[in-house]
Amino acid sequence: KRIVGESKNGLVTLYMNGAQEFEDIYIDEELLSPDKLDVIRKSLKEAFKEYQKKLQKEMVQDMDIDQLKNMFK
């Protein structure tokens, strides 16, 4: 399953799978200049954090109630 993480400014998008492997990355051309390096770094971090949150939600949805109960025994 493909999971997408996007920066808050929408200029960076990560496409990853459920095995946490990169499939693709989009960086808006607006950011492709040396003076925008800090914005690129921040945007990549934001996109990856969003991806992680979505992956965690997917993992929880895939688990059934019995599996969750067994985790806390």
Side-chain angles (χ1 to χ4, degrees), residues 30-63:
E30 176 184 327
L31 295 178
L32 299 179
S33 64
D35 62 318
K36 299 282 186 173
L37 190 55
D38 287 339
V39 178
I40 292 173
R41 287 183 178 135
K42 181 180 178 184
S43 296
L44 282 168
K45 288 178 185 178
E46 290 172 355
F48 191 75
K49 284 181 183 179
E50 183 186 20
Y51 154 77
Q52 286 179 314
K53 288 179 185 177
K54 288 181 178 180
L55 177 62
Q56 290 169 356
K57 285 182 183 178
E58 290 286 330
M59 291 171 65
V60 169
Q61 288 175 354
D62 289 344
M63 296 179 85

